[in-house]
Every structure is written in C-alpha cells, then in structure tokens.
Amino acid sequence: MKYQSLALAATTFLTCASAFPRMDAEQLKAYNEASKRSAEPAACPYAKREAEAAADPSCPFAKIANKFKRSTFNAEQQHIRTDGEYAFVPPNFQSGDQRGPCPGLNALANHGYLPHSGVADMQTIIKATNEVYGMSLDLGGFLAVYGTVFDGNPLSTSPGYSIGGPSKDSQNILNGVGLLGTPSGLSGSHNKYESDVSPTRADLYLTGNNFHNVKDRFVDYYYALKENTPAPEQYTALAPFHAQRYEESLMSNPYFFYSPFAGILVSPAGYSFPPRMMANHSEEYPEGYLSRETFSTFFGVDTHESQNPQDFEVKQGWERIPDNWYKRPINDEFSIPDFLLDVLQHAEYDPRLLSFGGNTNGVNTFAGLDIGDLTGGVLNFANLLDPNNLLCVALQIAEAAAPDVLGSLYTDVKKAMTPLTDKVTQLLAGKGCPQLQKINSELFEKYPGYTESYGSYAGFSEIGTDPVDGVLEGVTGVLGGLIPTGQKV
Ligand code: HEM
C-alpha cells in the first residue's frame, strides 16, 4: 500500500509515453524555453496566456490553441448515439452493478458502451474511450493497463477491472491464476489510482468515501466553468479552482498525500478531461464548449432546469451522455502530450501541483519529497516543468515502486507486472531517461496518508480513534465500494 501512490503516478505517465513522440522537437523546445523563462513574470505568464499567448510562437500553449482553432466540425462523424442499444439505463446497485470515482467510465457503462455491470476487459475500455470520447489509443491504453495491473487482474485470460469496487463479476471476467484475493477496482485504489484533490469526490480519509459526487464540490466546479467560452480557454480558467481544491486538501486533511503518479498525474485529469472530452462540439464551437448543463448531465446531476443549486439533485452513479452530443473531431484525439501540457499549464499557475509529498503531522504540514533523495541520485531533475523530465520521473518511480505494491497481491509479481513494464519501456523509448532500478521507499514512512492503509487495504483497524475512525460505513455505501476483507496489503 505504501508504494501504491508512486506506482499510480508512474502509470499515469506511462499513458503519456506512447503518445509522447507526437510532441515534436520544435514544440518541446518551445515548451522548454517557456518553462525556463517562467520564473520571469513577463515571459509566458499564466495571466497573459488567454489574451496574448496565441500570438507568441515560442509559447507551447499557443500551439495547442492554434491546433484547436484548426478543428473542423463534422456532425455525422462526431455524433454519439444515446438511443436504442446505447440508451441510458441507470445502474442497479442491488444486483451488483459497479460505478466509481470516474464519471467518464460510469457514463460509458450506463449507456452500454461498457458492460452495464461496470466490470470490463482492457480492450473494451480502450475502444469505448476512443470511440465515444476521442481519447487517443496511447492515453486510453496506458490508463487501461495501469488499472488492470493495480486494480484488476493482468493474469486473466481476459484482463480488465471494475470501474467501482470489488465485484462478483470480477471473479468471472478477471479470474486468473496467481491472484490473491479479489481485485479492488478503481474505488479501492486510493493512492494507486484514486487520489486526494479530486474535483467533486472527497478525500478518502476525510469522509470514508472517495467515489460519490459531493454536491457542494460539484457546485463549485459548475460555477468555475466559464460560460460561452471555447473549451481550451475553459480549461485555462479552471486553474484557480484546481489550486483551491489543492489548498482545501492541504488545510483540512491530516492524511493528505499527493503521490508521484495518482497525485501529480491522475488527479489533474479530473480538471482536464471534462473540458477536453466532455465538451459538446458544433459549428459554433468546433474546438468544443462545456456548458454547465452538459457538465451536469455528465456528472449525474439533475438540475431540474434550474440554475439554483438548491434545486440540484445528485444521483450517484447516474452519469449520463447528453442527447445531441458531439465528441472531439476524429483527427484531433486527446493524447498523452496534450494531457501533459494540461498538467503543466495548471502547475505553472500553482507550482504545488507538481510537488509530491504530503502532510506529516496534521493539516498544513506538507513536506515535499526530493526526487534525488528518493531515487538515490539517479533521477535529479530540477525542472519538472519539462515534460520529458516529468515523464521519466513519474513512469520510472511508478515502475520501481510496483513490486512492493503488488507483492501481496500476486504469487508471481514479475509476471503480473509484465504489461506495465512493457508499456513503460514503450513510452520511454528514445527519451534518454537515466535507468532507475529502485527507490528509497522508506522516505514515504513519514507520511500518515501513505503509511495508513484503508478499509480492505489494511491498517484500518489500526487507526483507532483518530479522525479516520468511523469511515467504514461510508466505504461500503451505495455504490458498492470497498468491502473490508481484513486482508493486509
Ligand atoms: C481507461 C480510462 C480511464 C480510467 C482508468 C479512469 C480512471 C479514473 C480514476 C481512477 C479517477 C479518480 C481520480 C481521483 O481520485 O482524483 C478518475 C476521475 C475522473 N475521470 Fe476518469 N478514467 C478514465 C477515462 C476518463 C475519461 C475518458 C473521462 C472523460 C471523458 C474521465 C473523466 C474523469 C473525471 C472528470 C474525473 C474526476 C471526477 C471528480 O472527482 O470530479 N475519465 N478517473
């Protein structure tokens, strides 16, 4: 469990790796230049970006903006069906359907693009995220491999995972030789995949539930969405809201832990993916526009056609694709480099978003981890704003941490890790990353959010009377999330 955070962080980066070659040398150079100059307020500053960056060819965000400006709308190609076999059917939790922390995957299961049970094999997940949302195969492929290795069963003849908690269906689809116990699913993957600082889901240790949509948090997100604005600019404008969420975790959660993978790379997806992959596309907005109504539908919130939050009704697990919804242009899929630039863009607004570590002794006691110390000096990048450095660090740390995370889950850890190892190798090929063999994992011991395990993932009963006590009921809640098994990981 202790290493899960690192492993998750690495996995996210891996997702980026396969698409990474699409970031050409010129773009990378421009980004590096801008990163170096970012210490100077006037260089390529966040505040100026919306108005002026597009005019500055040395600013990488201008390239992204220009790319979107070139988007063309094709209704026939981009329309996503929500009728017939793809009509919305809400989950039946009584019969064991699983829904979890990811609204994107929950909606796919509610519309039959994924099995309604919420347990799916890797290929089905990669295909569905690509065809419905325009998520590139490299990004979808990495996320699916990571989820399968850490939350599902890579040894199965049909490797995959549950998008919620453990499921009886996991025993069928995920049944493979060498797996000890039941796969956790995404809901049970705290610090591996699921992280603190989510936009609408609460920090696990604060509420005992990391997969429900919390209405107050949803309302904050709703109002943070800039209206009548193209989706790329909507993403830029979400940075203060993102920073505010980070601040809330820091100041309210004594167990706040921001891991190299789940924290730095997965958590930002919750801010990037809605404008990038839930926005509706039209002739007026060929680059997409995420209206508050579309956003509400995708997050399972019935606004009752009101703009007053008092009227909003959150239906847990009822995430839905709106009717008359058009995805990204076919030739403009959302890839690993696109996502990396999104991560870096918000981190430029608030650099704490790139600092992994956590609270050490109560709230607001954050201590960052030095990459050099953690990796015995093998990786020592001062500037994580360089996407190449970020990729090397996250992927390699995740891979190095994986054996510790997986050691108690599989009889043959090396075999279970093979899909991850292969994917990391593929993504880092030609990147010139120094070769990391192991990490000084004892450095994580000072973080309660790392050492304390949770629910079925050990340590729960050891927590005793501290603030985490009492969360068990929440965890076994409506969505069939974590089920304590007493198994120590
Ligand atoms: C294989 C593909 C995917 C996997 C394995 C995955 C997994 C996850 C996980 C583990 C989280 C929890 C992160 C956290 O705790 O902060 C999450 C959150 C989220 N995901 Fe996904 N995801 C996938 C694809 C997508 C897609 C395609 C979209 C959008 C179209 C999406 C939208 C989101 C959003 C908006 C959140 C944040 C929810 C919130 O806290 O408000 N995801 N996803």
Side-chain angles (χ1 to χ4, degrees), residues 43-66:
C44 186
Y46 179 85
K48 282 174 63 183
R49 184 167 305 123
E50 278 183 63
E52 300 174 24
D56 179 356
S58 71
C59 177
F61 303 116
K63 293 181 187 294
I64 296 291
N66 290 336

Side-chain angles (χ1 to χ4, degrees), residues 215 293 296 301-315:
K215 185 175 169 184
E293 196 57 35
S296 303
V301 176
D302 189 342
T303 61
H304 297 290
E305 299 186 5
S306 163
Q307 296 195 344
N308 182 349
Q310 281 184 340
D311 300 324
F312 292 5
E313 183 186 357
V314 180
K315 295 183 171 175

Side-chain angles (χ1 to χ4, degrees), residues 101-105 108 125-126 129 133 135 139-145 147 151 161 186-187 189-190 193-202 210 212-213 217 221 262 266-271 273-274 276-278 295 298-299 325:
C102 178
L105 297 179
L108 290 177
I125 296 171
I126 294 169
T129 52
Y133 294 123
M135 177 183 258
L139 182 53
F142 178 79
L143 293 177
V145 166
D151 313 326
Y161 54 92
L186 294 183
S187 297
S189 68
H190 184 57
Y193 224 145
E194 190 284 320
S195 174
D196 293 336
V197 195
S198 308
T200 69
R201 273 59 174 173
N210 58 5
H212 273 173
N213 182 352
R217 298 174 73 96
Y221 203 158
V266 179
S267 163
Y271 303 85
F273 286 8
R276 300 304 188 188
M277 288 185 285
M278 290 174 169
F295 172 72
F298 264 118
F299 274 67
W325 184 78

Side-chain angles (χ1 to χ4, degrees), residues 85-87 89 97-100 102-133 144 160-164 173 186 321:
E85 61 185 307
Y86 300 112
V89 179
D97 287 347
Q98 293 296 315
R99 301 293 182 265
C102 178
L105 297 179
N106 289 352
L108 290 177
N110 291 337
H111 283 277
Y113 288 103
L114 290 180
H116 200 256
S117 66
V119 181
D121 68 86
M122 252 188 334
Q123 294 312 323
T124 304
I125 296 171
I126 294 169
K127 186 169 182 283
T129 52
N130 178 255
E131 291 183 358
V132 175
Y133 294 123
Y161 54 92
S162 159
I163 66 174
I173 295 181
L186 294 183
I321 300 171

Side-chain angles (χ1 to χ4, degrees), residues 34 58 89 106 188 204 379 393 433:
S58 71
V89 179
N106 289 352
L204 178 64
L379 302 178
V393 168
C433 301

Side-chain angles (χ1 to χ4, degrees), residues 68 101-105 132-135 139 197-201 213 217-218 221-222 224-226 229-236 238 241-242 266-281 287-300 319-320 322 325-328 334 339 342 346:
F68 280 104
C102 178
L105 297 179
V132 175
Y133 294 123
M135 177 183 258
L139 182 53
V197 195
S198 308
T200 69
R201 273 59 174 173
N213 182 352
R217 298 174 73 96
F218 169 81
Y221 203 158
Y222 179 95
L225 279 176
K226 214 170 164 184
T229 303
E233 290 170 42
Q234 287 186 296
Y235 175 69
T236 301
L238 281 174
F241 167 65
H242 193 171
V266 179
S267 163
Y271 303 85
S272 158
F273 286 8
R276 300 304 188 188
M277 288 185 285
M278 290 174 169
N280 205 353
H281 294 73
E287 71 279 68
Y289 165 52
L290 184 61
S291 71
R292 291 173 178 172
E293 196 57 35
T294 296
F295 172 72
S296 303
T297 305
F298 264 118
F299 274 67
E319 286 89 345
R320 184 171 186 158
W325 184 78
Y326 297 83
K327 68 170 176 174
R328 296 171 66 92
F334 191 66
F339 178 58
D342 273 1
H346 277 193

